Amino acid sequence: MSSTTSTQEQGDGKFHFAIDRGGTFTDVHCKLPNGAELVSKLLSVDPANYDDAPTEGIRRLMDEHDPTGKKYPRGEVVDTSLIGSIRMGTTVATNALLEREGERMGLVITKGFGDLLKIGDQTRSDIFDLTCKAPEVLYEEVVEIDERVMLSEFFDENKSEEEIELLEQKSQLVQSSDSQDHWYSSNWPDAGVGKRIAGVTGEKVIPLRCPDADEIRASLQKLADKGIQSIAVVFLHSYVYPEHETMVGDIAKSMGCFSEISLSHEVMSMVKLVPRGHTACAAAYLTPKITEYLAGFTKGFDDGLMTNVQLDFMKSDGGLTPVNDFGGHQAILSGPAGGVVGYAKTSYRPSLDEDGNVVNKPIPVIGFDMGGTSTDVSRYDGTLELVFETTTAGVSIQAPQLDIHTVAAGGGSRLFLQNGLFVVGPESSKAHPGPVCYRKNGYLSVTDANVVLGRVIPAHFPSIFGPNEDEPLDLDGARAAFQALAEKNEAAKGRTLEELAYGFVQVANEAMCRPIRNLTQMRGFDITKHALACFGGAGPQHACAMARALGITKVYVHRYGGILSAYGLSMADAVVEEQEPSAVVYAVAKNDASGFDEDQDPSASIREARLEHLAEKARSTLMKQGYSRESIVIEKYLNMRYQGTDNAIMIKESKNANVQLPYAKTFVEQYHREFGFDLEGRDLLIDDMRVRAFVPGATLTPPPAVPLIGPPPPAGSTRAYFENGWETVSTYSFDDLTPGHEIKGPAILFQSISTIVLEVDCIALVTADGDLDITVAPKKNDNDTKFDHGKEEEEVEIKEDPVQLSIYAHRFMGIAEQMGRTLARTAISVNIKERLDFSCALFTSDGGLVANAPHIPVHLGAMQSAVRFQVEYWNSEGREGIKEGDVFVANHPQLAGGSHLPDITVITPVFHEGKILFFVAARGHHSDIGGISPGSMPPHSTILKEEGARIVAFKLVKDGKFQEDGITDILVNQEFGGTRNLKDNLSDLRAQVAANNSGIRLLQQLVKDNGLANVEAYMHFIQHNAEMAVRKMLKDFASKHGKRAHAIDYMDDGTPIELTVDIDPLTGSACFDFEGTGPQILGNINAPPAVTYSAVIYSLRSLVGQDIPLNQGCLTPIEFKIPPFSLLNPSDDVGVVGGNVLTSQRVVDVVLKAFKACAASQGCMNNLTFGDDRFGYYETIAGGAGAGPTWDGRSGVHTHCTNTRITDPEILERRYPVLLRRFGLRTGSGGAGMHTGGDGVVREIEPLRPLVMSILSERRCLRPYGLEGGEGGKTGRNLLIKKGGIVLNIGGKRSGSINVGERLVIESPGGGGYGERSPTPP
């Protein structure tokens, strides 16, 4: 199918193609030899009719429009003599990554880190998935090379020149040992021994051990012998010292048996070993697939394709690159990038009057690209917004990429009714078999809903379906599929097929609105001051409704909106990027912390020289591609951060020559907008220098305003379903529209490549260019009056509607998630900002949990106790009550619903007209709040006050004023020492208040949009929905296993945790009785009741096994019986810091054991703190996950009650005085069974100056249990390696000094196995 639009531009006698090969459709934009434009769309996968969609699209258009009348038969090689250029965006790399169908490859990595990329940041993507499933790593084999480089800064900081010279001389005696390694790395070289060499950044490095060429060659040969021809080489600190990687690369090339050699420092020379390693692997894994695809593509053409045709591919950063320079890691967003360029060039334009004068400046635009498989959203405000680290299909990619947010909701997203909720995606029907209406025995999908509703009209959609590619969309088949769904689901009861389909469209719209809100609101942008640029084949069917839901009043639909990604390719820039790491100071903070010293510019000479070097390198590359020097534009960037933080921001060079330290000014402005505050008194550092050289693509002239000429004559009419039901509406053909035409909705406009649904009260104006400028009237409601409680009482009872329930579930969770993003954005501490150790939640006016974003599981449900305590406390007799402008803070575990003292909860009431409507709360782990040891996680505390400041109830904000003096007094004046980091405490508390304020604003907007009565009603409905899902799970369990369940497990000191569950099989109610649990102990593994509630709500949510709202309803069916003064209900003065991080894990293990769900996971968080009087550091360490009935346990992952990240090895060594000797899997530590438990990890750390290290851990004596005959996992061990090789087992809980040359080895437990092993054959 195709349509032609004449243009005034003269053709050059050649065909010029821009092609976007998407997951479902391939879109083609073609400029004909005479200059006319033509567009086409075809299925990306149609094996019965053609092998390659782009080739077929080119063939069809040339066959139809060759000016000489020449024919191009299918199956014959295409003559390229009339082809001038081909530009392509492709999902080949993305699909290969998603489906793990890349090239077989091997990973070559520093010794001791062979499992690092498998462990990653140790988190799991779905905290409630007991399988902890994760995408497979890309590499097939791993080779560890005995090489090591360390940074010298911390080791040398107090050493004299003579001492350093002796260490350099000593290095000559160090030789690579060929003896068998001991498990504790006894033959590894001493820290600090070796030559000091200036690296790429100017930082001094010490090559502790250089790789041996013979060892490298032998290791590579083993890979080659296994048929591996692609390798990625990833060495520690190669971004600053690449010589070792280069050596391996040279040897691999000389061997001649590797077709793809990816060196991490060449692929992306940035700090962070894990994402750089993943990126190198992606390049090695995907580039051969792209090469293979290109070979297949070129087979469809004659030899002139590679010699006479300009063949470019779109990179993830929105720039074009020649086919020979197109690497796999650059191709992840190749397809969506074209759409971003397309809407940026066509929608971000000033408004002109009829004489061409500027009336209004451009407004920011949100790109909404709804395809068949997923939806991409992005933002444009004059420049392409790039990010430099993203995660796709479990692989962290470190490369310039457009900031595109993807949600699994597209035209092909499958539709389900689950637990009374309408669910859209994330599963997709894909291009094959596709939706039901595609006539290929597909799945019920969003497209089917639009067909049933008359919003997609089969008569105006290409007839390309059926065995002969000549049948229309199958309306009857789609209706039958909805009928079948309705007949077997209670949630569809009483609904017509159209109401059912319309409900799914509404839920799909909300799912797609959610990332748009995140993209704007979480970054401080007003969503209502944007336009929505809609494209993609399915987008125009949803755009008007979504704009109204978002409060956006302008929607742009380009005349080529259905193929805008392809059209964007035709206008894209040719781009070359060059980048190198840096470690220099850009700006020096003033002594009085009042900004930067403008008289100092310490990096000036080296900065300008390096940026100009990169610019010339990039310019030269473009000139080799045939572009003139004069056509090339250079943009210079610095990747900058405040000293002591990890949040680097890429800053573009300012053209304002009158500003001192211009990069600093821009950085401070952007940092303040992004994070809400400034960090005074800190130097500004440069992490990377970057140059972007580009040749600008076509730029469109803004069209002048056009005089209105009224509505066009309709092409016909049709029945379509809108918000008020079926309506007979006019239909219009795009071909009949003239500039100045106005169309009032409801109406449907159709092209050969897209259908546009104009909703009720929307007006579309045809612009001078033939595009649609749609004005969306605000949502009609009288909800402002619904704030008035008196009027509410007169309203009719609100009945639960499954569609609205599904939409509110998205909205409530979206608000909690945005609170979390605000907290991470505005906090200062590593724990909250980078490890993400926090949770945010919404509550009803009585403190009932409505939505808890899935942040940290041990916080789930616990904050409800904290909120209800504050309500009761401040409203009790003699107290001052709760007033508008109050914000509460608390952390006391036993008295105030806390978990342990470092977890501080900030609670804010939401008022209207003097009445509390809701509460919002944010709980964050503070790095230090005093007590007997740094980090406030003492291994041997016995009473609560040894663990830090205790806050039962305090108004952190009173009458709108932050009570800094009062909270400072609480945090500092403690019997066993106050906080060691008050500045960070105060900053993080302010960030928690800011997070709550963001939740309040979003809740108030929700009430304004929908009415208070509706919001309150659906808060309770959503709780009831969760309750019913848990009751169903409990009844199902009782029917299979009986109405009583029992389990017992033990802490390492022998204290039992015993649980008996009695289930009412009729109602699904249950009593969780912990009678038999041991008494509270003289130690700190006592756990307050809130921790048990959190552990149980986490377990129940995991046992349900489907995505249900997470709220108080999960616990409504549960009665708790916890013996007083037991381990799980201790007195208010005993130590509990370990209960939150250790006992919580054991409670989950006991619950899951009682329900026969899976074997025990590691049962620990392995809490490690180290520091001195200058700094403190805290981390939790992964272990093995338990196996289950159908799965092996995952290795090296955080399980159950925690999900915090671990610091990247290069960041750890760059920021802290330690050397990470090893971080890998503890092979064989998982329990054996029919399904094997996951392995724990080994983490070996050596201090570079004397430090105090503390470890708080469990499962060092008693093994994680196996289930159903499976064996238990191995216990963990904590070892201290003394100088001389003496090994000390320091037990599960220990704090003490560790000196230079000594090493702490943490071996975390493995997970238990499940089921008996099959007998070994004789």
Side-chain angles (χ1 to χ4, degrees):
M1 57 186 172
S2 60
S3 65
T4 304
T5 302
S6 61
T7 67
Q8 295 180 351
E9 186 174 349
Q10 187 67 32
D12 64 358
K14 298 272 189 177
F15 287 90
H16 296 272
F17 295 98
I19 304 172
D20 173 40
R21 185 190 185 280
T24 304
F25 287 105
T26 289
D27 302 329
V28 184
H29 172 269
C30 176
K31 191 170 184 180
L32 296 176
N34 63 4
E37 291 179 307
L38 181 146
V39 295
S40 176
K41 183 183 288 282
L42 65 161
L43 289 171
S44 291
V45 180
D46 195 353
N49 294 288
Y50 46 82
D51 294 329
D52 179 70
T55 304
E56 176 67 9
I58 291 172
R59 185 200 66 79
R60 288 181 184 180
L61 296 178
M62 294 186 71
D63 185 68
E64 186 176 350
H65 297 281
D66 186 295
T68 68
K70 177 181 172 68
K71 290 300 178 183
Y72 298 78
R74 182 182 292 180
E76 294 185 12
V77 170
V78 175
D79 180 354
T80 62
S81 58
L82 287 183
I83 301 178
S85 66
I86 299 174
R87 295 178 167 191
M88 284 184 62
T90 175
T91 58
V92 168
T94 310
N95 293 340
L97 189 63
L98 291 171
E99 298 165 13
R100 291 301 192 264
E101 293 182 350
E103 181 72 10
R104 293 180 62 201
M105 62 154 294
L107 170 65
V108 182
I109 196 167
T110 302
K111 181 180 177 182
F113 296 88
D115 301 311
L116 180 68
L117 300 189
K118 186 171 185 178
I119 298 170
D121 66 4
Q122 76 181 8
T123 62
R124 58 200 193 276
S125 59
D126 181 353
I127 63 174
F128 302 114
D129 179 10
L130 295 177
T131 71
C132 300
K133 62 177 176 286
E136 290 298 318
V137 292
L138 303 183
Y139 51 86
E140 185 176 316
E141 298 285 338
V142 180
V143 167
E144 294 189 18
I145 298 297
D146 191 5
E147 70 83 37
R148 190 61 158 94
V149 171
M150 68 173 283
L151 305 178
S152 69
E153 179 185 1
F154 288 116
F155 193 87
D156 289 351
E157 58 187 349
N158 295 315
K159 291 182 174 59
S160 66
E161 292 183 7
E162 291 78 10
E163 290 175 304
I164 292 174
E165 185 176 348
L166 287 173
L167 289 166
E168 291 190 325
Q169 292 174 354
K170 186 179 178 183
S171 69
Q172 299 173 20
L173 304 177
V174 176
Q175 300 294 328
S176 178
S177 171
D178 57 3
S179 63
Q180 180 65 36
D181 257 7
H182 292 288
W183 57 268
Y184 56 83
S185 317
S186 65
N187 71 327
W188 287 12
D190 293 338
V193 176
K195 292 287 186 182
R196 273 63 177 165
I197 301 173
V200 173
T201 62
E203 295 170 286
K204 292 289 183 67
V205 300
I206 308 171
L208 297 180
R209 179 159 291 168
C210 296
D212 179 77
D214 291 337
E215 178 199 356
I216 293 170
R217 192 169 283 104
S219 298
L220 294 179
Q221 188 60 52
K222 290 178 182 178
L223 295 178
D225 291 344
K226 294 179 179 179
I228 290 174
Q229 299 180 0
S230 184
I231 61 171
V233 185
V234 184
F235 288 164
L236 238 70
H237 300 298
S238 64
Y239 69 96
V240 65
Y241 187 76
E243 278 75 3
H244 291 180
E245 281 192 0
T246 301
M247 178 181 177
V248 174
D250 290 343
I251 292 173
K253 289 175 185 175
S254 71
M255 294 173 66
C257 49
F258 297 103
S259 58
E260 185 66 32
I261 302 168
S262 171
L263 307 182
S264 77
H265 76 275
E266 292 181 350
V267 172
M268 195 62 189
S269 190
M270 292 182 75
V271 68
K272 286 191 181 180
L273 183 64
V274 172
R276 192 176 73 251
H278 277 307
T279 307
C281 287
Y285 186 74
L286 299 174
T287 302
K289 279 296 173 182
I290 290 177
T291 303
E292 179 184 316
Y293 171 73
L294 290 173
F297 174 72
T298 56
K299 278 197 310 184
F301 301 85
D302 63 25
D303 295 341
L305 180 70
M306 300 304 292
T307 56
N308 302 322
V309 177
Q310 185 175 345
L311 179 57
D312 293 327
F313 276 77
M314 174 64 84
K315 298 185 296 181
S316 298
D317 65 358
L320 294 168
T321 192
V323 59
N324 295 329
D325 295 331
F326 191 45
H329 66 292
Q330 302 170 317
I332 306 301
L333 298 180
S334 174
V340 176
V341 173
Y343 84 77
K345 295 234 179 184
T346 59
S347 301
Y348 186 79
R349 297 187 290 183
S351 300
L352 306 182
D353 60 19
E354 293 183 21
D355 298 323
N357 300 312
V358 175
V359 178
N360 293 306
K361 293 180 179 179
I363 62 173
V365 185
I366 294 167
F368 169 54
D369 178 7
M370 184 179 179
T373 306
S374 62
T375 294
D376 296 317
V377 300
S378 55
R379 181 179 181 273
Y380 185 81
D381 191 10
T383 58
L384 295 174
E385 297 183 359
L386 300 179
V387 292
F388 293 85
E389 185 179 327
T390 58
T391 299
T392 302
V395 178
S396 297
I397 302 295
Q398 196 179 47
Q401 299 181 64
L402 292 171
D403 190 8
I404 297 174
H405 296 232
T406 301
V407 60
S413 291
R414 294 176 60 185
L415 309 179
F416 306 94
L417 290 171
Q418 295 176 350
N419 293 310
L421 293 173
F422 281 55
V423 178
V424 178
E427 297 88 345
S428 173
S429 59
K430 301 183 180 180
H432 187 77
V436 172
C437 60
Y438 280 15
R439 300 181 183 271
K440 292 193 283 185
N441 297 316
Y443 302 101
L444 193 63
S445 306
V446 172
T447 297
D448 293 310
N450 281 314
V451 169
V452 166
L453 296 172
R455 290 164 166 250
V456 171
I457 305 171
H460 297 295
F461 201 89
S463 295
I464 57 174
F465 304 100
N468 298 319
E469 300 178 273
D470 58 359
E471 295 183 62
L473 292 167
D474 186 2
L475 170 61
D476 292 338
R479 290 185 62 85
F482 275 109
Q483 182 66 46
L485 181 69
E487 289 173 355
K488 60 184 180 181
N489 283 277
E490 184 69 22
K493 188 176 180 180
R495 292 178 181 272
T496 66
L497 292 187
E498 294 80 11
E499 289 170 338
L500 186 63
Y502 190 65
F504 277 114
V505 169
Q506 290 177 289
V507 174
N509 289 345
E510 179 55 39
M512 293 182 289
C513 285
R514 194 162 159 183
I516 294 176
R517 293 190 181 97
N518 293 341
L519 184 69
T520 52
Q521 293 170 340
M522 80 171 190
R523 296 173 57 193
F525 298 119
D526 184 346
I527 195 171
T528 64
K529 294 181 179 178
H530 290 69
L532 187 67
C534 159
F535 55 106
Q541 296 145 37
H542 298 258
C544 290
M546 289 177 56
R548 180 168 288 156
L550 292 165
I552 293 173
T553 60
K554 278 290 180 184
V555 173
Y556 299 141
V557 180
H558 194 269
R559 62 189 181 280
Y560 296 147
I563 60 123
L564 195 63
S565 290
Y567 189 55
L569 280 162
S570 73
M571 298 182 289
D573 304 339
V575 175
V576 171
E577 297 247 4
E578 294 291 344
Q579 182 169 320
E580 67 178 33
S582 176
V584 297
V585 176
Y586 176 78
V588 179
K590 291 182 179 179
N591 293 331
D592 62 0
S594 61
F596 300 113
D597 186 345
E598 295 185 354
D599 294 330
Q600 296 190 57
D601 189 355
S603 69
S605 58
I606 187 172
R607 181 181 73 236
E608 294 307 318
R610 296 312 301 167
L611 284 171
E612 189 51 43
H613 166 76
L614 295 174
E616 189 56 39
K617 188 176 179 181
R619 190 182 288 116
S620 175
T621 301
L622 283 172
M623 291 171 67
K624 290 178 181 177
Q625 295 173 17
Y627 299 103
S628 68
R629 188 180 187 89
E630 295 73 24
S631 67
I632 299 170
V633 179
I634 299 293
E635 293 179 344
K636 298 177 181 178
Y637 296 82
L638 298 179
N639 198 30
M640 312 176 80
R641 62 180 172 85
Y642 281 120
Q643 188 173 33
T645 72
D646 279 340
N647 289 95
I649 302 176
M650 194 68 73
I651 302 298
K652 184 180 176 181
E653 180 183 36
S654 171
K655 300 301 183 184
N656 189 345
N658 298 321
V659 176
Q660 295 293 322
L661 301 174
Y663 285 98
K665 182 178 185 297
T666 307
F667 175 87
V668 171
E669 291 172 351
Q670 190 166 337
Y671 193 94
H672 191 275
R673 181 177 60 76
E674 286 283 332
F675 302 115
F677 61 94
D678 299 323
L679 290 178
E680 302 287 358
R682 298 184 188 231
D683 292 348
L684 189 56
L685 310 182
I686 302 173
D687 273 352
D688 303 278
M689 300 184 191
R690 169 176 163 251
V691 164
R692 181 179 178 91
F694 64 95
V695 177
T699 300
L700 302 177
T701 302
V706 292
L708 301 181
I709 60 175
S717 64
T718 189
R719 292 183 74 241
Y721 198 93
F722 289 87
E723 58 190 71
N724 299 317
W726 284 108
E727 297 195 34
T728 298
V729 299
S730 296
T731 60
Y732 301 88
S733 170
F734 236 89
D735 295 338
D736 298 335
L737 301 183
T738 301
H741 272 145
E742 257 193 339
I743 303 171
K744 294 184 179 181
I748 293 178
L749 295 79
F750 53 84
Q751 300 170 291
S752 61
I753 54 175
S754 184
T755 298
I756 299 103
V757 174
L758 202 61
E759 297 281 349
V760 176
D761 293 328
C762 293
I763 300 175
L765 170 67
V766 183
T767 70
D769 283 345
D771 306 327
L772 292 184
D773 183 335
I774 302 174
T775 300
V776 180
K779 181 179 180 181
K780 288 183 179 179
N781 61 62
D782 59 351
N783 290 321
D784 289 340
T785 65
K786 293 183 181 180
F787 272 114
D788 188 320
H789 294 277
K791 293 182 180 180
E792 273 180 34
E793 293 175 359
E794 302 171 5
E795 295 180 5
V796 297
E797 178 185 0
I798 297 171
K799 295 184 179 180
E800 180 178 334
D801 177 77
V803 173
Q804 292 302 310
L805 187 68
S806 305
I807 291 172
Y808 275 104
H810 277 284
R811 294 300 300 271
F812 292 145
M813 190 59 72
I815 292 172
E817 289 173 350
Q818 286 202 52
M819 289 174 64
R821 291 186 178 94
T822 300
L823 180 52
R825 200 164 51 85
T826 57
I828 184 61
S829 69
V830 172
N831 274 350
I832 294 178
K833 181 175 283 296
E834 288 143 30
R835 293 183 60 249
L836 305 183
D837 195 348
F838 64 80
S839 290
C840 298
L842 319 178
F843 305 84
T844 56
S845 58
D846 63 355
L849 177 65
V850 174
N852 197 139
H855 294 134
I856 300 300
V858 77
H859 297 162
L860 301 177
M863 280 193 286
Q864 174 173 278
S865 301
V867 173
R868 285 183 164 168
F869 173 82
Q870 295 299 314
V871 173
E872 181 180 344
Y873 177 90
W874 291 104
N875 287 331
S876 61
E877 188 175 351
R879 307 287 180 191
E880 59 189 86
I882 300 175
K883 302 175 182 177
E884 195 161 0
D886 288 346
V887 178
F888 311 113
V889 63
N891 72 343
H892 199 293
Q894 294 93 314
L895 298 180
S899 44
H900 63 175
L901 294 181
D903 283 345
I904 299 180
T905 306
V906 173
I907 302 163
T908 307
V910 183
F911 276 87
H912 180 72
E913 295 182 355
K915 182 177 179 180
I916 296 174
L917 305 183
F918 320 108
F919 285 92
V920 290
R923 176 170 289 182
H925 185 113
H926 287 240
S927 59
D928 196 292
I929 54 163
I932 60 176
S933 70
S936 304
M937 297 284 293
H940 293 300
S941 57
T942 58
I943 55 177
L944 188 64
K945 57 187 176 182
E946 291 178 331
E947 298 173 1
R950 294 151 294 152
I951 311 170
V952 175
F954 179 73
K955 290 192 175 182
L956 182 65
V957 178
K958 188 173 182 179
D959 297 326
K961 297 179 181 178
F962 190 84
Q963 303 297 301
E964 183 170 331
D965 291 343
I967 192 64
T968 297
D969 182 63
I970 293 172
L971 293 173
V972 170
N973 296 319
Q974 294 293 317
E975 180 179 343
F976 289 93
T979 178
R980 299 162 183 84
N981 200 348
L982 177 64
K983 189 175 180 181
D984 280 8
N985 292 135
L986 295 176
S987 294
D988 284 351
L989 287 170
R990 285 190 171 94
Q992 289 174 261
V993 173
N996 287 358
N997 288 339
S998 72
I1000 291 171
R1001 287 193 298 272
L1002 294 170
L1003 274 171
Q1004 289 174 336
Q1005 185 63 48
L1006 183 65
V1007 170
K1008 183 178 180 181
D1009 291 343
N1010 299 280
L1012 177 59
N1014 279 310
V1015 173
E1016 286 186 321
Y1018 275 93
M1019 281 188 168
H1020 294 290
F1021 293 154
I1022 213 78
Q1023 291 173 330
H1024 181 257
N1025 179 266
E1027 175 189 345
M1028 291 298 100
V1030 171
R1031 288 187 185 277
K1032 181 179 183 301
M1033 182 275 294
L1034 291 169
K1035 288 190 285 188
D1036 289 346
F1037 178 85
S1039 68
K1040 295 176 183 176
H1041 303 285
K1043 60 183 181 179
R1044 169 164 285 195
H1046 176 268
I1048 189 170
D1049 203 351
Y1050 300 86
M1051 304 298 287
D1052 276 352
D1053 66 359
T1055 301
I1057 297 177
E1058 186 168 2
L1059 171 64
T1060 301
V1061 181
D1062 287 307
I1063 303 171
D1064 184 332
L1066 298 179
T1067 66
S1069 296
C1071 175
F1072 278 56
D1073 188 349
F1074 287 91
E1075 186 66 40
T1077 296
Q1080 65 184 48
I1081 68 162
L1082 187 65
N1084 63 23
I1085 61 170
N1086 303 291
V1091 169
T1092 298
Y1093 301 152
S1094 292
V1096 170
I1097 197 174
Y1098 162 80
S1099 301
L1100 293 172
R1101 169 61 181 82
S1102 299
L1103 289 167
V1104 168
Q1106 291 181 337
D1107 190 12
I1108 65 168
L1110 181 68
N1111 56 51
Q1112 173 56 24
C1114 293
L1115 290 185
T1116 300
I1118 310 303
E1119 175 190 1
F1120 284 93
K1121 292 183 179 180
I1122 308 176
F1125 307 116
S1126 68
L1127 184 73
L1128 304 183
N1129 191 6
S1131 60
D1132 61 15
D1133 58 349
V1134 299
V1136 298
V1137 71
N1140 183 65
V1141 295
L1142 302 177
T1143 310
S1144 61
Q1145 298 283 60
R1146 200 61 46 84
V1147 173
V1148 171
D1149 279 342
V1150 170
V1151 174
L1152 297 180
K1153 185 178 184 180
F1155 281 87
K1156 308 179 191 300
C1158 60
S1161 294
Q1162 68 158 331
C1164 181
M1165 296 185 194
N1166 305 293
N1167 303 269
L1168 173 67
T1169 57
F1170 58 78
D1172 55 19
D1173 58 355
R1174 296 157 62 181
F1175 81 101
Y1177 174 80
Y1178 170 58
E1179 69 182 21
T1180 57
I1181 303 171
T1190 60
W1191 71 87
D1192 291 341
R1194 182 175 161 189
S1195 299
V1197 66
H1198 257 328
T1199 54
H1200 300 324
C1201 285
T1202 189
N1203 199 37
T1204 55
R1205 297 174 179 174
I1206 201 158
T1207 307
D1208 186 272
E1210 290 179 345
I1211 295 293
L1212 182 72
E1213 295 189 358
R1214 204 178 193 194
R1215 307 281 165 83
Y1216 302 102
V1218 295
L1219 190 67
L1220 184 62
R1221 290 290 191 175
R1222 264 194 309 171
F1223 187 36
L1225 297 180
R1226 189 182 172 206
T1227 305
S1229 57
M1234 180 174 64
H1235 294 287
T1236 304
D1239 288 332
V1241 303
V1242 180
R1243 192 163 174 85
E1244 185 172 340
I1245 299 175
E1246 177 179 342
L1248 300 181
R1249 66 175 185 243
L1251 299 175
V1252 173
M1253 288 192 172
S1254 302
I1255 181 71
L1256 182 59
S1257 59
E1258 269 282 328
R1259 293 286 196 199
R1260 267 50 183 178
C1261 298
L1262 301 176
R1263 301 169 68 181
Y1265 63 78
L1267 207 60
E1268 300 295 332
E1271 297 179 11
K1274 285 186 178 180
T1275 57
R1277 292 195 300 183
N1278 304 322
L1279 306 168
L1280 179 63
I1281 314 300
K1282 305 285 287 185
K1283 288 183 178 180
I1286 297 174
V1287 182
L1288 300 178
N1289 188 329
I1290 62 175
K1293 302 167 183 66
R1294 183 68 58 187
S1295 180
S1297 297
I1298 181 169
N1299 296 312
V1300 178
E1302 298 179 334
R1303 301 195 297 278
L1304 180 66
V1305 180
I1306 298 171
E1307 298 180 346
S1308 67
Y1314 188 98
E1316 294 184 8
R1317 280 191 294 182
S1318 301
T1320 304

